[in-house]
């Protein structure tokens, strides 16, 4: 029982936790990014919010890049901290600008995602990642 509440850090458990976290948050983000990717390459006209005035197509392209490409990079643990930045920005815009008048119920999910990607930005991908294997020094 005493070990259950220990505050000493077990790095192997932390690295495994980061792996699970990356797989889950990246996989869940793909459920938002994959439909956007299909629309991006589809024949339908792109109709998307333009909350910061970049134009619908540019904003949609950025959202596809963040929610699909960066989500895959997060899952793989490759350039994780850099991949987290577009996702943090996208989720901040969704929560703070797009859903500002919709109330907390609509802001909650993008804020939760943003918090998760902020965590990965500060911690990195952990030992079980391409970042670790490609950048480790023998």
């Amino acid at each position: 029982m005493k070990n259950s509440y220990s505050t000493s850090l077990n790095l192997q458990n932390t690295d495994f936790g980061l792996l699970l976290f990356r797989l889950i948050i990246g996989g869940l983000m793909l459920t938002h990014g994959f439909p956007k990717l299909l629309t991006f390459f589809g024949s339908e006209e792109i109709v998307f919010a333009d909350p910061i005035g970049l134009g619908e197509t540019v904003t949609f392209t950025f959202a596809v890049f963040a929610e699909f490409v960066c989500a895959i990079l997060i899952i793989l643990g490759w350039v994780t901290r850099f991949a987290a930045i577009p996702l943090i920005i996208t989720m901040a815009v969704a929560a703070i600008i797009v859903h500002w008048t919709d109330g907390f119920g609509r802001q909650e999910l993008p804020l939760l995602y943003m918090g998760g990607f902020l965590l990965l930005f500060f911690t990195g991908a952990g030992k079980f990642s391409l970042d670790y294997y490609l950048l480790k020094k023998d």
Side-chain angles (χ1 to χ4, degrees):
M1 186 72 154
K2 186 177 181 180
N3 289 339
S4 297
Y5 300 104
S6 172
T7 57
S8 63
L9 192 59
N10 180 324
L11 292 180
Q12 187 165 357
N13 286 348
T14 302
D15 288 325
F16 185 69
L18 285 170
L19 169 66
L20 286 176
F21 187 75
R22 284 192 351 259
L23 293 174
I24 291 167
I25 199 165
L28 289 171
M29 183 51 64
L30 280 177
T31 66
H32 300 277
F34 187 68
K36 287 181 178 75
L37 181 74
L38 294 177
T39 302
F40 187 77
F41 288 109
S43 59
E44 297 178 23
E45 181 182 350
I46 295 174
V47 178
F48 197 69
D50 182 24
I52 55 177
L54 298 175
E56 285 183 2
T57 304
V58 172
T59 304
F60 189 69
T61 302
F62 185 78
V64 170
F65 173 75
E67 295 179 14
F68 185 78
V69 176
C70 291
I72 290 174
L73 294 174
I74 294 283
I75 290 169
L76 296 173
W78 188 38
V79 294
T80 304
R81 286 187 165 118
F82 291 114
I85 294 169
L87 286 158
I88 292 165
I89 294 168
T90 302
M91 294 301 105
V93 168
I96 298 168
I97 298 173
V98 174
H99 295 297
W100 181 255
T101 59
D102 297 338
F104 185 70
R106 295 283 299 198
Q107 293 172 316
E108 185 177 10
L109 186 60
L111 287 172
L112 187 60
Y113 276 122
M114 186 178 74
F117 295 123
L118 278 167
L119 173 83
L120 289 173
F121 177 77
F122 286 110
T123 63
K127 186 176 180 179
F128 304 116
S129 66
L130 285 177
D131 285 345
Y132 178 81
Y133 289 107
L134 296 174
L135 299 174
K136 73 178 178 179
K137 295 176 183 170
D138 295 322

